């Protein structure tokens, strides 16, 4: 099952809104096939695992044991049901990491296997398997995307100059790591000030992987048309109070300024099947999610040797549970979870 998890993680950022899944087929304690879900709309882990079995070993499939990190699907989606594939190949025993919370599965795959006489056992490294797919589980259980907060701060806890001017805080090595994080999330969201004063691209340029859907909260449509977010080079959502339309890669999504904006944002992203969103600033937007208690994970990057004096202060986390700290070049990265939201 640990090998299943290693394989599943290779699909990070490429399979959303599907979960990451790995599968391993063994015969007499020898691995004869393995696979993982590589891209949304393509073969699931079980399919790729069975397809990987060499021709001379294929007669062994009906005598083998399958390990899969998430319950095999039982419904027709982009691909046929994997539970049917297992039954068709007469695999006698299946070990499952955890059950799938998606309403179309949610125990149905397990029941289908048992009804067909397959010896199916679930709960193998269950917590680890659920944690790997915490974005997928949050999306289906809480009906909102997984919310990851991220910001860089100086040693005196400033994230921007007093006039919102950009501070170049992060080490080049950390910048690469930040782009790797981007490749793992479905959407990336900034506020109006960040969009205007930083003029970010919000693309993944420093890591070999997909880029997230770009998004900005710009209620009064203040972002200049010449700015990078409006260049049409990547799928972009502008949340605003005035327009609801789509123009090529650019989508305008209207929010009601008289209602809670954070709840509306998360509801819209859920409707758009964004299983996760990374909030990259600035302070007002980040703090709004913190104050609402609607965040799951936070990563803070601190350049301890840099001070700004006057400037925009960093957000203040609440209900945070420190997980670990690591060094990245000249920076210190701290990882936190919201200790009040751990129901996977």
């Amino acid at each position: 099952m640990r090998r299943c998890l290693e394989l599943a993680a290779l699909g990070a950022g490429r399979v959303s809104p599907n979960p990451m899944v790995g599968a391993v087929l063994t015969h007499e304690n020898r691995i004869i096939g393995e696979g993982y879900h590589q891209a949304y709309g393509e073969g699931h882990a079980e399919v790729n695992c069975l397809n990987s079995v060499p021709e001379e070993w294929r007669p062994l499939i009906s005598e083998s044991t399958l390990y899969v990190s998430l319950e095999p699907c039982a419904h027709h989606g982009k691909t046929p049901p994997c539970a049917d594939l297992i039954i068709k190949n007469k695999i006698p025993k299946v070990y499952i990491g955890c059950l799938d919370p998606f309403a179309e599965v949610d125990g149905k795959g397990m029941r289908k296997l048992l009804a067909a006489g397959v010896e199916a056992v679930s709960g193998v490294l269950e917590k680890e398997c659920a944690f790997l797919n915490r974005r997928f589980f949050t999306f289906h259980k809480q009906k909102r995307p997984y919310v990851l907060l991220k910001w860089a701060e100086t040693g005196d806890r400033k994230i921007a100059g007093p006039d919102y001017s950009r501070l170049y805080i992060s080490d080049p090595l950390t910048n690469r790591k930040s782009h790797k994080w981007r490749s793992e999330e479905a959407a990336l969201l900034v506020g109006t000030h960040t969009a205007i004063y930083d003029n970010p691209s919000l693309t993944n340029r420093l890591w070999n992987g997909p880029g997230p859907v770009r998004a900005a909260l710009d209620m009064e449509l203040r972002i200049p048309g010449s700015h990078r977010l409006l260049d049409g080079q990547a799928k972009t959502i502008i949340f605003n109070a005035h327009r609801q339309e789509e123009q090529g890669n650019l989508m305008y999504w209207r929010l009601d300024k008289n209602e809670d904006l954070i709840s509306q944002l998360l509801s819209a992203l859920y409707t758009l099947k964004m299983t996760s969103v990374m909030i990259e600033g600035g302070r007002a937007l980040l703090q709004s999610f913190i104050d609402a208690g609607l965040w799951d994970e936070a990563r803070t990057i601190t350049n301890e040797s840099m001070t700004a004096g006057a400037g925009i202060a960093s957000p203040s986390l609440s209900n945070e549970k420190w997980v670990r700290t690591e060094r990245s070049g000249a920076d210190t990265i701290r990882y936190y979870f919201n200790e009040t939201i751990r129901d996977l």
Side-chain angles (χ1 to χ4, degrees):
M1 192 59 72
R2 293 195 187 281
R3 178 56 179 161
C4 288
L5 290 171
E6 290 176 351
L7 291 166
L10 297 175
R14 302 177 188 275
V15 300
S16 179
N18 283 352
M20 295 176 282
V21 185
V24 172
L25 188 69
T26 68
H27 181 266
E28 296 181 353
N29 296 320
R30 177 181 62 177
I31 293 176
I32 64 171
E34 60 180 30
Y36 66 98
H37 187 27
Q38 298 181 19
Y40 177 67
E42 297 183 7
H44 287 187
E46 297 91 331
V47 174
N48 293 331
C49 176
L50 292 179
N51 286 343
S52 76
V53 178
E55 191 63 37
E56 64 270 23
W57 289 351
R58 299 196 69 80
L60 302 178
I61 292 176
S62 61
E63 303 170 6
S64 299
T65 299
L66 179 68
Y67 297 80
V68 60
S69 57
L70 189 69
E71 177 185 9
C73 59
H75 67 293
H76 285 270
K78 292 280 185 180
T79 60
C82 290
D84 290 355
L85 179 68
I86 294 168
I87 295 167
K88 179 182 177 182
N89 280 273
K90 300 180 180 179
I91 298 173
K93 191 166 188 175
V94 179
Y95 286 104
I96 298 167
C98 59
L99 298 182
D100 188 334
F102 180 41
E104 294 292 332
V105 186
D106 197 16
K108 296 182 180 70
M110 182 77 166
R111 291 193 292 273
K112 180 175 279 192
L113 293 176
L114 292 172
V118 177
E119 185 181 347
V121 179
S122 66
V124 182
L125 296 183
E126 184 173 19
K127 289 185 178 180
E128 292 90 335
C129 290
F131 181 76
L132 178 71
N133 275 311
R134 57 195 181 277
R135 295 162 180 82
F136 180 77
F137 274 56
T138 297
F139 184 81
H140 286 287
K141 286 191 171 185
Q142 300 189 27
K143 309 302 180 187
R144 64 165 177 83
Y146 186 86
V147 178
L148 171 60
L149 310 179
K150 174 256 177 180
W151 69 84
E153 61 185 17
T154 61
D156 56 350
R157 302 204 69 239
K158 300 296 191 296
I159 63 171
D163 56 353
Y164 296 101
S165 58
R166 185 174 185 178
L167 297 177
Y168 291 89
I169 298 171
S170 301
D171 180 274
L173 179 62
T174 309
N175 287 337
R176 286 183 61 83
K177 188 182 293 285
S178 294
H179 281 233
K180 177 180 183 293
W181 293 345
R182 287 182 178 183
S183 76
E184 296 169 346
E185 308 306 331
L188 181 60
L189 176 69
V190 297
T192 308
H193 283 145
T194 300
I196 292 176
Y197 292 103
D198 286 4
N199 189 17
S201 296
L202 300 188
T203 54
N204 172 24
R205 304 177 302 282
L206 303 178
W207 191 261
N208 181 24
V213 171
R214 309 184 298 185
L217 178 62
D218 183 22
M219 292 299 285
E220 300 304 324
L221 297 174
R222 293 170 51 204
I223 301 173
S226 58
H227 272 36
R228 297 187 182 99
L229 275 179
L230 303 181
D231 62 13
Q233 297 302 305
K235 181 74 173 179
T236 306
I237 309 166
I238 305 298
F239 294 104
N240 69 96
H242 303 284
R243 298 169 63 182
Q244 180 86 26
E245 59 182 298
E246 192 166 359
Q247 303 171 353
N249 272 338
L250 190 58
M251 174 185 291
Y252 290 89
W253 191 285
R254 184 186 294 116
L255 303 180
D256 186 343
K257 64 174 65 177
N258 296 314
E259 300 293 333
D260 180 71
L261 293 181
I262 301 302
S263 295
Q264 290 184 78
L265 275 170
L266 294 180
S267 178
L269 290 169
Y270 176 78
T271 299
L272 293 167
K273 295 185 177 181
M274 300 287 127
T275 53
S276 66
V277 57
M278 183 157 70
I279 316 298
E280 283 209 2
R283 185 187 193 281
L285 185 61
L286 286 160
Q287 196 64 53
S288 294
F289 278 89
I290 295 168
D291 292 345
L294 290 170
W295 66 280
D296 299 283
E297 187 174 343
R299 300 171 187 172
T300 65
I301 300 163
T302 307
N303 184 336
E304 308 284 1
S305 64
M306 180 180 181
T307 57
I312 307 298
S314 305
S316 297
L317 286 172
S318 59
N319 297 316
E320 75 276 15
K321 179 181 180 181
W322 171 84
V323 179
R324 63 187 173 94
T325 299
E326 68 180 33
R327 293 288 294 178
S328 175
D331 301 325
T332 299
I333 303 177
R334 296 177 177 87
Y335 296 79
Y336 304 90
F337 286 116
N338 185 339
E339 64 180 2
T340 66
I341 305 177
R342 300 305 323 134
D343 177 22
L344 295 177

